[in-house]
Amino acid sequence: QSALTQPASVSGSPGQSITISCTGTSSDVGGYNFVSWYQQHPGKAPKLMIYDVTYRPSGVSNRFSGSKSGNTASLTISGLQTEDEAHYFCSSYTTSSHVVFGGGTRVTVL
Amino acid sequence: QLQLQESGPGLVKPSETLSLTCNVSGGSISSRSYYWGWIRQSPGKGLEWIGSMYYSGNTYYSPSLKSRVSMSVDVSKIQFSLKLNSVTAADTAVYYCVRHDPLANWFDPWGQGTLVSVSS
């Protein structure tokens, strides 16, 4: 099962908005609204930021939002802050192996 | 607040079996809504789902690891376990235990992770 495709890195200045893409196929991202996003700071465990494409768990800042169009899901971080600097991974249900992750995107705050 | 904590050897020899346990606190492992799973992350690499299981024993595994993986749960001890046999250096990774929503397919919370190295 190939990993979902994410850009290796995305950067932005404080206060700006950035968007991370996550591209799959009709067998995963495009076929189901079961896309989730995780934030991982160095040396820490991943943290759930978005589930079911657009939903935020309790406690997650509303600066984080998710969307999907066709086979591509996106995570947008608005009002970028220094603490947002981390790796971000997407995940989706997939018919072939239940779960597939993206390769991860490093977000840098300039 | 639900918390998960992995434990087990940090070093395993090639061809042997990797064994890890996840202790669950602050909640019930017998929840009807969730599965309990394992995810690993090779050094500097992405995430790989290993498998998940229900408290009753129902399991499903990643097809790529299915032949080498087994999982079990001990409801009385509020813990679940992972065994991965015939390990190689490619199995060196940080292993995380997680709660898994099997319908929406999200993972939360995660344990802190434990590094397992495969080396002679």
Side-chain angles (χ1 to χ4, degrees), chain A residues 43-62:
Chain A
K44 300 294 186 181
K47 174 187 174 184
L48 178 66
M49 304 299 285
I50 295 287
Y51 67 97
D52 290 2
V53 178
T54 63
Y55 292 89
R56 278 187 311 275
S58 174
V60 172
S61 171
N62 59 9

Side-chain angles (χ1 to χ4, degrees), chain B:
Chain B
Q1 181 183 358
L2 187 70
Q3 292 185 318
L4 285 68
Q5 177 70 57
E6 307 86 354
S7 62
L11 181 64
V12 181
K13 291 182 168 55
S15 79
E16 295 189 346
T17 297
L18 178 160
S19 297
L20 295 175
T21 297
C22 181
N23 288 285
V24 179
S25 60
S28 173
I29 202 170
S30 306
S31 168
R32 294 184 179 182
S33 300
Y34 300 110
Y35 275 54
W36 305 91
W38 293 91
I39 292 170
R40 69 181 183 180
Q41 184 172 32
S42 301
K45 300 275 181 75
L47 300 165
E48 180 182 19
W49 173 72
I50 298 170
S52 298
M53 72 175 304
Y54 197 50
Y55 76 93
S56 62
N58 184 41
T59 58
Y60 61 114
Y61 304 132
S62 167
S64 64
L65 295 169
K66 186 176 182 179
S67 63
R68 299 193 291 128
V69 172
S70 66
M71 294 177 61
S72 61
V73 62
D74 189 328
V75 175
S76 63
K77 293 183 178 179
I78 322 179
Q79 63 183 206
F80 59 101
S81 300
L82 167 72
K83 290 188 185 298
L84 180 66
N85 59 37
S86 303
V87 297
T88 69
D91 295 310
T92 294
V94 175
Y95 286 75
Y96 297 98
C97 58
V98 295
R99 184 180 63 173
H100 181 190
D101 183 306
L103 297 179
N105 222 36
W106 49 256
F107 303 97
D108 180 69
W110 297 54
Q112 67 181 30
T114 186
L115 175 62
V116 179
S117 298
V118 178
S119 175
S120 55

Side-chain angles (χ1 to χ4, degrees), chain A residues 2-104:
Chain A
S2 300
L4 304 175
T5 301
Q6 297 182 235
S9 63
V10 173
S11 62
S13 300
Q16 287 186 330
S17 292
I18 62 169
T19 297
I20 303 167
S21 61
C22 171
T23 301
T25 69
S26 58
S27 296
D28 40 65
V29 174
Y32 307 90
N33 288 326
F34 298 142
V35 176
S36 52
W37 289 90
Y38 302 87
Q39 176 192 63
Q40 185 178 34
H41 287 108
K44 300 294 186 181
K47 174 187 174 184
L48 178 66
M49 304 299 285
I50 295 287
Y51 67 97
D52 290 2
V53 178
T54 63
Y55 292 89
R56 278 187 311 275
S58 174
V60 172
S61 171
N62 59 9
R63 298 186 297 104
F64 292 84
S65 61
S67 62
K68 191 184 84 168
S69 178
N71 294 337
T72 298
S74 299
L75 174 70
T76 298
I77 308 175
S78 304
L80 197 62
Q81 299 180 1
T82 54
E83 60 260 37
D84 300 332
E85 191 162 284
H87 277 86
Y88 292 82
F89 295 90
C90 62
S91 176
S92 174
Y93 171 78
T94 172
T95 53
S96 60
S97 60
H98 298 291
V99 179
V100 62
F101 284 99

